[in-house]
Amino acid sequence: MAGAVAAVLGLLLLLGSAGGSTGPPRDSLREELLLSPLPSGDLAATFQFRARWDSELHREGVSHYRLFPKALGQLISKFLVRELHLSLTQGFWRTRTWGQPYLQAPAGAELWVWFQDSVTDVDKAWKELSNILSGIFCASLNFIDSTNTVTPTASFKPLGLANVTDHHLLRYAVLPREVVCTENLTPWKKLLPCGSKAGLAVLLKAERLFHTSYHSQAVHIRPICRDASCQSVSWELRQTLTVVFDTFSIGQGKRDWSLFKMFSRTVTEACPLASESKIYVDISSKTQENELLEVTPLPLSMHEASVQGDRRTYAVYDLLSPSLFNVSRSLNVQLKWKRPQDSLDLSTPVLHAQRYVSGYGLQTGEISTLIYNTHPYRAFPVILLETVPWYLRLYVHTLVITTKGKENKPSYIHYQPAQDRRRPHLLEMLIQLPANSVTKITIQFERALLKWTEYTPDPNHGFYVSPSVLSALVPSVIAMKAEDAEQSPLFTSLFPSSDGSSYFVRLYTEPLLVNLPTPDFSMPYNVICLTCTVVAVCYGSFYNLLTRTFHVEEPSRGGLAKRLANIIRKVRGVPPL
């Protein structure tokens, strides 16, 4: 027995030395939860789990995975992926009511990938990659094909370390009808190093997360610089999850909230594998003398940061601090409003947009997009990306862009016409937005008549159109300081500011629901029923007559017993048999 134990320990030591356990770890994990009261009175909870791996997956033959998920690591190596961004969202982020989001995603499923230069057939790699991701996350990504895939030329530039100018290595697709449920959340949680057993992930209770106004989970993979000299490359995996709680209904008529009210659980410990585990609570107010929020227990520290052009103050709870769990074994952050929030003090986002369909009948229509720039004195450009299915045939000559009653000509325009049953329309424009203005973009379309096999099982519900995508560098009201990405919170480092005067924003409009000319699918049902009835009655009768054999039987006169019975009946006066 002792010999067996010694052999096992020797094998473990051998494996540890082979894996490089004697030196510093090559991977690290940071987990973070941001709790932000929204201007409407709701509460947004943003989880971020960041795994960083100091390895070059494309060059090294990696066989041992510790914190980085093996399934995603092998995916990057096999298909030579430079960047991968996947989001699954239920609901729509209401920018005008909730403010500017930290990480917004369109309703449904969104996938965009940058491939390496060495990929010869990008379309084939894109198709195989989407099918594998469909199996990993239990989503309908296998429905991504050439009819809903585009190659943008100006939008969706790489977020990581890349000097890519060939946009043909980019693929982008949206499935606005995809429904997000617990079957998508479970594989997402299994990618976490601690799963949902320890750390902030214990709050990810599906019953509570899907009882919200907005739910979005995402996976972001990108290469980053390993150090300041940027001589080596590290891989970063960010798993983000954002939910918006209606605190009025959760708190039974009160705006106060706590971790237990929202998630039905409290935090007891940090993930043992995490090098940093923190909870941030946004307690910002317009004036320091007029504080609105009261947080309990008292935070261990405070953090001030410039986020999206505004100075914010956060209460910080470090789960790795030994003094945090001295008084209680669990942490239940609570927030109370000192006084009712004045709706007149709500600030309008600098950039927001909306989109709708107009027209009458089922032949033609018009798509309208309204883009708002509420900055009082600064104008800035915005890149607009429109993806329209092929069965809505756009009339490009009807494209009209107006701002303050005048025509607004785009600085850059790229249009790729659709091909029936092959690819959608792609329209990209660079539009200048004047200060304090509303820009309206309209384009007319004609509805196509589909084949009867191309309609969905519920054709009268309508057909979804992907939302518009707006990308812009929004000017900041205050001067923002450049911070180290490793020292700053995770929610401020995905879209870092290149200079201190602006910040990057990517917004999505509402997905559209368009009705197409739909045949009466009840007529085939009626015809089938009538035909089956006629065939069953007529054909059955004719077949019975044609195949039945008839035999004529002569009536027999009867035997002696019958004659005797008739004689007796005659005597009694009864009719004979």
Side-chain angles (χ1 to χ4, degrees):
M1 184 67 180
V5 173
V8 172
L9 291 177
L11 180 60
L12 292 177
L13 291 175
L14 181 62
L15 293 176
S17 61
S21 59
T22 57
R26 300 177 58 187
D27 50 3
S28 60
L29 173 67
R30 294 174 60 185
E31 58 177 6
E32 176 183 295
L33 170 60
L34 172 63
L35 301 173
S36 305
L38 301 178
S40 62
D42 300 326
L43 179 73
T46 303
F47 294 84
Q48 289 208 43
F49 303 89
R50 182 215 185 201
R52 172 178 171 173
W53 195 9
D54 297 338
S55 173
E56 297 185 8
L57 296 177
H58 295 153
R59 298 181 182 179
E60 302 176 1
V62 180
S63 59
H64 177 67
Y65 291 82
R66 181 173 173 263
L67 301 179
F68 204 93
K70 185 177 182 180
L72 298 181
Q74 292 179 343
L75 208 64
I76 295 173
S77 302
K78 180 179 180 181
F79 295 102
L80 300 177
V81 174
R82 187 187 302 271
E83 279 195 23
L84 186 148
H85 303 271
L86 170 65
S87 65
L88 301 171
T89 306
Q90 186 73 22
F92 174 71
W93 183 275
R94 307 181 185 279
T95 306
R96 201 166 186 173
T97 306
W98 294 342
Q100 211 76 262
Y102 293 102
L103 295 171
Q104 189 183 3
E110 180 194 44
L111 176 64
W112 58 285
V113 179
W114 279 93
F115 291 94
Q116 294 284 345
D117 302 338
S118 56
V119 178
T120 56
D121 192 348
V122 179
D123 293 328
K124 181 180 178 182
W126 166 256
K127 183 61 178 178
E128 294 180 359
L129 178 63
S130 59
N131 288 335
I132 295 177
L133 290 174
S134 176
I136 293 178
F137 293 98
C138 296
S140 301
L141 300 178
N142 55 311
F143 286 97
I144 294 179
D145 53 15
S146 62
T147 61
N148 48 35
T149 300
V150 295
T151 302
T153 59
S155 304
F156 295 99
K157 295 301 181 181
L159 300 181
L161 178 62
N163 294 323
V164 182
T165 57
D166 188 3
H167 63 272
H168 294 92
L169 301 174
L170 170 64
R171 293 295 182 272
Y172 173 77
V174 177
L175 299 176
R177 192 168 180 156
E178 179 70 13
V179 179
V180 185
C181 195
T182 55
E183 62 185 7
N184 309 116
L185 179 64
T186 301
W188 185 90
K189 291 192 296 184
K190 288 183 178 180
L191 298 177
L192 299 174
C194 291
S196 57
K197 304 299 182 182
L200 298 176
V202 299
L203 301 177
L204 302 179
K205 188 177 180 181
E207 180 183 356
R208 304 298 300 173
L209 294 180
F210 289 99
H211 189 65
T212 54
S213 304
Y214 176 81
H215 173 95
S216 178
Q217 61 188 58
V219 172
H220 304 276
I221 303 176
R222 62 176 181 173
I224 59 175
C225 293
R226 189 172 301 182
D227 49 23
S229 61
C230 204
Q231 297 295 329
S232 303
V233 177
S234 299
W235 284 91
E236 180 190 72
L237 166 64
R238 291 205 187 200
Q239 295 181 241
T240 64
L241 189 144
T242 303
V243 290
V244 176
F245 291 93
D246 185 358
T247 55
F248 190 81
S249 61
I250 294 177
Q252 298 179 354
K254 298 180 180 180
R255 297 293 184 183
D256 305 337
W257 56 264
S258 65
L259 288 181
F260 187 79
K261 282 185 179 180
M262 294 186 298
F263 302 103
S264 299
R265 293 177 182 176
T266 56
V267 181
T268 57
E269 62 176 348
C271 176
L273 300 175
S275 59
E276 181 178 312
S277 180
K278 293 182 179 180
I279 297 179
Y280 293 86
V281 182
D282 190 354
I283 57 174
S284 306
S285 59
K286 291 189 175 181
T287 57
Q288 297 294 334
E289 298 80 9
N290 193 19
E291 295 183 355
L292 299 176
L293 306 176
E294 179 182 358
V295 184
T296 55
L298 294 178
L300 300 178
S301 61
M302 307 293 289
H303 178 78
E304 292 186 358
S306 300
V307 181
Q308 296 179 343
D310 193 9
R311 288 190 178 93
R312 314 297 296 179
T313 304
Y314 300 94
V316 184
Y317 297 88
D318 190 356
L319 300 184
L320 296 179
S321 176
S323 59
L324 185 62
F325 296 101
N326 286 342
V327 180
S328 177
R329 293 183 178 180
S330 62
L331 176 63
N332 183 25
V333 180
Q334 301 180 14
L335 185 142
K336 295 182 180 180
W337 292 87
K338 293 183 179 180
R339 63 178 181 84
Q341 188 179 14
D342 190 0
S343 60
L344 298 178
D345 296 336
L346 302 181
S347 58
T348 304
V350 176
L351 176 65
H352 59 279
Q354 65 182 56
R355 192 179 183 212
Y356 59 89
V357 176
S358 59
Y360 58 90
L362 293 177
Q363 183 178 1
T364 59
E366 186 178 74
I367 298 177
S368 301
T369 305
L370 300 178
I371 305 177
Y372 298 84
N373 176 17
T374 61
H375 201 284
Y377 55 87
R378 289 287 299 275
F380 57 89
V382 62
I383 297 177
L384 176 65
L385 172 66
E386 294 272 4
T387 304
V388 182
W390 62 267
Y391 44 77
L392 299 182
R393 294 166 178 169
L394 298 181
Y395 294 148
V396 185
H397 69 279
T398 63
L399 177 64
V400 178
I401 305 175
T402 56
T403 303
K404 296 182 178 180
K406 298 180 180 179
E407 182 181 1
N408 188 348
K409 293 184 178 181
S411 306
Y412 168 80
I413 185 170
H414 168 72
Y415 174 67
Q416 184 182 45
Q419 294 181 1
D420 288 357
R421 300 171 181 85
R422 288 190 177 182
R423 71 183 185 191
H425 300 270
L426 173 62
L427 179 61
E428 285 184 287
M429 295 180 291
L430 180 62
I431 305 173
Q432 188 73 15
L433 303 181
N436 197 15
S437 65
V438 180
T439 302
K440 184 176 182 180
I441 306 167
T442 61
I443 187 171
Q444 298 179 9
F445 65 89
E446 180 183 0
R447 296 173 171 89
L449 183 62
L450 304 180
K451 299 178 181 179
W452 72 275
T453 55
E454 295 174 342
Y455 285 91
T456 57
D458 52 346
N460 292 304
H461 177 75
F463 292 79
Y464 285 91
V465 179
S466 302
S468 301
V469 186
L470 283 78
S471 305
L473 283 175
V474 179
S476 176
V477 180
I478 62 173
M480 298 185 297
K481 299 180 181 179
E483 299 182 2
D484 186 9
E486 296 299 325
Q487 303 297 330
S488 60
L490 295 179
F491 59 85
T492 63
S493 57
L494 184 61
F495 300 121
S497 176
S498 57
D499 53 0
S501 61
S502 59
Y503 58 94
F504 180 77
V505 172
R506 178 177 291 145
L507 297 179
Y508 298 86
T509 62
E510 305 90 339
L512 300 180
L513 189 62
V514 180
N515 290 324
L516 296 181
T518 306
D520 187 3
F521 285 102
S522 64
M523 288 304 297
Y525 173 76
N526 298 334
V527 171
I528 291 173
C529 292
L530 179 60
T531 304
C532 292
T533 303
V534 172
V535 169
V537 174
C538 299
Y539 178 77
S541 301
F542 279 108
Y543 182 81
N544 190 17
L545 293 175
L546 294 175
T547 58
R548 177 177 295 181
T549 303
F550 296 92
H551 300 278
V552 180
E553 295 184 358
E554 296 181 358
S556 58
R557 298 180 179 178
L560 179 61
K562 184 177 180 181
R563 294 178 181 177
L564 292 176
N566 289 333
I567 293 174
I568 296 173
R569 294 171 66 87
K570 185 176 181 182
V571 172
R572 293 181 177 178
V574 180
L577 296 175

